[in-house]
Amino acid sequence: MAPRTVGLPYHLGYPIVSFVLLALAAFASADDIWYASVATDTELVRFGATNYCGYTLSSSVITSSLGCLYRGFSYTLPSSYFGFALPSTLTHNLAPTAATSAAAFALVLVAGLHHAYVIRYSYRKNPEPNKDKLWSLTQIHAVSVGITFVFTWVAFAVQAGTVGSATSWSDSASGSDAGATVTVYWGQAPWLVLASAVLHAPWGWEAVRWRASQL
């Protein structure tokens, strides 16, 4: 019998790594992983996926607390909270945009658990797997991975559009300090989502190969 090349246990590495990447993007606090940051010469505010109370304003004279950002999204803040205008793209769109990471995380979790079950079932010795059931399971696996692949790319595109649009405000708005300009930076979170989306390509390819082998 030829060596088995589909439905192998190590293929679970794809959803496991993707799961970790999306978990970081969706649930890390802004001091670790963030979607975007807005800065002047003396202030830096990061917008992440969870509550974070460690923001500070520092200068050569004084360091003081800026308080908490609830879930790290700018729509919870007064427009003058930091002494400079927040880009409208962040103000209106960052919260629902960041939620796409949590949705992608949930899809990977469900698809990954189903993948693990199908592998376990296909390796069963006694009784041997029912061919019709295995076919149905691999069909569902291929479809679920396909949906996850598409949604994760959509999540990255939405995040890239939101943060990319907000960066157009860089150096065009003034801060509270004389002559200070506001700069918007990309955070790591959108790139983690992109890495996950790229990783779903070989995962999907293996799912298609496994399905084809059952025909």
Side-chain angles (χ1 to χ4, degrees):
M1 180 180 293
R4 185 177 185 181
T5 62
V6 296
L8 299 174
Y10 75 82
H11 292 162
L12 281 172
Y14 297 122
I16 291 173
V17 174
S18 175
F19 181 84
V20 172
L21 294 174
L22 291 172
L24 289 171
F27 304 111
S29 60
D31 57 330
D32 300 317
I33 305 293
W34 60 92
Y35 288 89
S37 61
V38 183
T40 67
D41 295 339
T42 59
E43 296 173 89
L44 175 63
V45 185
R46 293 168 177 167
F47 301 106
T50 60
N51 297 348
Y52 178 58
C53 299
Y55 298 106
T56 58
L57 184 155
S58 299
S59 68
S60 59
V61 179
I62 189 171
T63 298
S64 60
S65 173
L66 285 175
C68 297
L69 292 181
Y70 296 104
R71 290 197 57 77
F73 300 140
S74 59
Y75 76 87
T76 64
L77 306 173
S79 60
S80 61
Y81 192 82
F82 297 107
F84 54 83
L86 293 167
S88 59
T89 305
L90 291 177
T91 303
H92 299 300
N93 298 326
L94 189 59
T97 294
T100 60
S101 293
F105 171 86
L107 286 173
V108 170
L109 176 60
V110 172
L113 289 174
H114 181 265
H115 187 181
Y117 172 75
V118 181
I119 288 176
R120 184 174 183 275
Y121 181 77
S122 69
Y123 273 82
R124 194 174 70 180
K125 298 296 184 182
N126 186 26
E128 290 189 354
N130 178 276
K131 290 185 177 180
D132 290 336
K133 181 178 180 179
L134 185 57
W135 159 251
S136 297
L137 289 173
T138 54
Q139 278 274 76
I140 295 171
H141 171 54
V143 170
S144 64
V145 174
I147 292 172
T148 303
F149 172 84
V150 171
F151 185 85
T152 309
W153 276 103
V154 168
F156 171 71
V158 171
Q159 292 176 24
T162 299
V163 182
S165 176
T167 59
S168 66
W169 283 70
S170 290
D171 303 326
S172 64
S174 297
S176 57
D177 298 325
T181 56
V182 175
T183 306
V184 182
Y185 299 97
W186 285 76
Q188 309 99 317
W191 304 118
L192 292 175
V193 175
L194 175 61
S196 176
V198 171
L199 193 64
H200 291 169
W203 189 24
W205 171 246
E206 293 297 343
V208 170
R209 289 183 63 233
W210 196 5
R211 174 187 174 279
S213 71
Q214 302 298 319
L215 292 174

